[in-house]
Amino acid sequence: MPLAAVVPPAPLARVPATPARIGLVTGGLGNYWPQFPDLLPTIEKSAAVIRERVEASGAHVEYAGVISDPVQGAAAAERLRKADCDLIIVFVATYMASAQVLPVFKYGGAPILLVNLQPGTSMNHATFGTGDWLGYAGFAGLPEIGVALERLGMPIRSVSGHLADERAWAKIDRWVRAAGVVRALRGARHGMMGHLYPGMFDIATNITAITGTFGGHVEVLEFDDLKLRYDQVTEAETERVLATVEEVFTVHPGADRENIRFQARVSAALDRLVEEYGLDTLAYFYFGENDTLLQRLGAGFAIGATLLSSRGIPTVTEYEVRAAAAMYVLDQFGAGGTLTEGQALNFDDGVCEVGHNDAADMAITARKPLLRSLDVYHGKSGGGVSVEVDIRQGPVTQFSIGELRDGSLRFIASEGTIVDGPLLSIGNTTSRVDFGCDPADWADAWSQSGSTHHWAMGVGHRAADIEALADLLGAEYRLVQP
C-alpha cells in the first residue's frame, strides 16, 4: 500500500512533499519547418502531452518552447535559468543539431534529461512521407545530443519510448520525483542537538558533507535550547499532547503514566523547538548526570520523536543526522521512514530482524504503536515508556547514507519484503525482512557496503528513486541485492 493511501490520525498532519520545478524545451532543425508545414504542429502537440503528464505528477513546468537555432537555444537557456529549475527535460522530438541545445546544457542551470517519445508505437509505412517520418525521428538526433553532453562533462540521461509508453513514463516520473527531493533537500534544515554517542565513530558526520551534497543547513543545538522551551510549556500544551497520545498510541496497562505526562511535556517543547528553528529533521543524544533535568530530557524523547517522525519530521536518537536525512528522503518519495538497525538473523525463517528504539513513523506501521515502560533504556541513561511496533507487511526499502574516507557520501539501498512472524516485546520497533537470500549473505553484503549501523526503512521498493536522486546530487550509489 503506498503511503499516499494511508490517512494519518488528525493530530499528525503530514508535511507535504516538495514539488519539483521542471524545465521543458523541445526543438528541431529550423530548415524543416518551411519544408514540412505539418511537422512543427506535430511536435508542439507532443510537447503539450509531455507537459500535461509532468504537471499531473504535481510538478511545476516551465515550458521554454521550440528551439529552431542556437539563438533561440540561448534565449531558452536564460528563461530556464531564471525559472530556477531542478531538472530540464529536453524533448528530442525530431533531429536537431547539437548547437541548438548546447546553450541550454551550459547555461540552463539544472541537470538534463533527454526524452525521446515518438507519437506512436510505429510508423505507418504505407502512408508516411518524409515529414511524417521526421515527427518520429527523435532517435536520429539523440546520439549527437548525448555526445554534446559528454563533451561538456555532463551526465547523459535519456528515456526513449512513445507518448503512451507507461514503461517510459515510469522512468520519467522517477527523475521528476528525484528532482523534487533535490529541491526539498536544498532548503532543508537539519538539527543536531547534544553530542555524538561516545565511541560510535561510524555515525560521526562531517557537517560540510551534508550541506555540500544536499544543500540546506545544519543547525547545531544545545540541550539547553530544549530545556528553555520545556520550561515555557503550558499545562494546556501538555494536555493537548496527552490527548493525542490517547488517540494514536495503545498504552500498555503497566505503563508509567507519570512518565507519559513528562514525555508529553517534552513533546510539546520539541514542537516549539522544531517550529522556532524551522527544522525538517532532528538528530539528538545526551547522557547527562543521573536525575538531572537535562538527563531526563535526553531520555524523554520516545513519544515526541514518534509524533514528529509521524508528521514527516524525522527525529532520531544517537546523533544520527545521516539516518534522519535518509528518512527525510524516503518520506519525500512517499515511503515514510523509520530508524533501523540490525537486531538478529533468523535462519529458521530466512529473515533479518531489524528495528530500533525510541521512534516510529505511524504512517507506515502495521498497527497503533504500544507504549511500554522499560526500567532502563539499553545503552543509554534513564528509563521510561518506549515505543513498540512493527512496519506493515509488504515491500520495503533500506536506505543508508554512508560517509567515505574521502568525505564524500554514498547512497546505499536494498529492497526486501516484510513478512509475518513472531516479534520481540521489548519496547522497540521490530520487523522481519525477507531479502530473497540467506540472511547471513544479506548481512555481510550490507555490512560491506559502507552503511553505518543505523539506516532508514520505508515502504515500497524505492531503490530506483534513490539511484536517480544520487545521480542528480552527484553522490555515489550502491545497490545491495545479494
Side-chain angles (χ1 to χ4, degrees), residues 25-27 90-94 96 114-117 137-139 141-142 145:
V25 65
T26 187
V90 176
F91 172 35
V92 188
T94 187
M96 54 180 158
L114 307 177
V115 170
N116 164 35
L117 298 184
F139 180 32
L142 193 62
I145 294 173

Side-chain angles (χ1 to χ4, degrees), residues 192-476:
M192 298 179 72
M193 184 168 65
H195 60 80
L196 180 72
Y197 189 107
M200 285 188 182
F201 296 151
D202 65 324
I203 63 175
T205 297
N206 181 343
I207 293 175
T208 306
I210 296 291
T211 56
T213 301
F214 299 151
H217 173 71
V218 175
E219 188 74 36
V220 179
L221 301 164
E222 302 283 359
F223 255 75
D224 300 87
D225 295 309
L226 180 62
K227 178 185 178 299
L228 175 66
R229 287 152 184 84
Y230 175 85
D231 291 340
Q232 295 170 344
V233 170
T234 66
E235 188 67 18
E237 288 176 290
T238 301
E239 289 294 333
R240 280 197 294 270
V241 177
L242 285 170
T244 300
V245 168
E246 295 296 334
E247 178 178 348
V248 303
F249 290 97
T250 298
V251 181
H252 189 273
D256 182 344
R257 289 284 179 171
E258 183 179 346
N259 184 255
I260 290 175
R261 172 169 285 275
F262 170 73
Q263 288 202 26
R265 185 172 172 182
V266 175
S267 177
L270 285 169
D271 288 342
R272 284 173 172 252
L273 185 81
V274 165
E275 181 177 358
E276 290 174 25
Y277 282 96
L279 300 180
D280 296 286
T281 74
L282 176 61
Y284 68 92
F285 187 74
Y286 192 81
F287 263 125
E289 295 293 334
N290 285 338
D291 295 326
T292 64
L293 178 56
L294 289 180
Q295 179 270 325
R296 293 181 63 219
L297 289 174
F301 270 68
I303 289 174
T306 295
L307 294 179
L308 283 171
S309 296
S310 299
R311 286 166 44 196
I313 305 171
T315 302
V316 302
T317 186
E318 295 172 24
Y319 217 53
E320 182 52 285
V321 65
R322 279 178 280 133
M327 290 163 63
Y328 179 76
V329 165
L330 284 175
D331 186 58
Q332 287 288 315
F333 279 129
T338 191
L339 182 64
T340 306
E341 68 181 7
Q343 292 179 326
L345 305 178
N346 188 325
F347 295 99
D348 293 330
D349 298 334
V351 298
C352 297
E353 298 188 46
V354 301
H356 207 276
N357 65 301
D358 229 20
D361 179 356
M362 282 185 270
I364 61 174
T365 57
R367 57 190 59 81
K368 282 186 176 183
L370 174 71
L371 290 180
R372 181 187 296 277
S373 284
L374 302 177
D375 292 334
V376 295
Y377 293 146
H378 67 276
K380 302 179 177 68
S381 59
V385 294
S386 189
V387 176
E388 181 178 299
V389 75
D390 57 317
I391 305 306
R392 64 173 180 259
Q393 294 177 38
V396 289
T397 299
Q398 317 299 310
F399 175 35
S400 179
I401 301 174
E403 184 176 318
L404 308 182
R405 64 184 297 176
D406 65 359
S408 64
L409 301 183
R410 175 185 288 164
F411 286 15
I412 306 158
S414 186
E415 296 176 340
T417 303
I418 290 184
V419 297
D420 193 17
L423 302 169
L424 292 172
S425 299
I426 59 169
N428 279 204
T429 63
T430 304
S431 296
R432 298 157 54 90
V433 185
D434 181 354
F435 289 102
C437 63
D438 184 284
D441 291 341
W442 187 86
D444 285 337
W446 186 256
S447 300
Q448 296 165 19
S449 70
S451 172
T452 64
H453 77 280
H454 298 133
W455 60 88
M457 178 166 60
V459 296
H461 283 167
R462 303 288 178 170
D465 289 329
I466 294 167
E467 182 179 15
L469 177 64
D471 183 279
L472 293 180
L473 292 173
E476 183 182 338

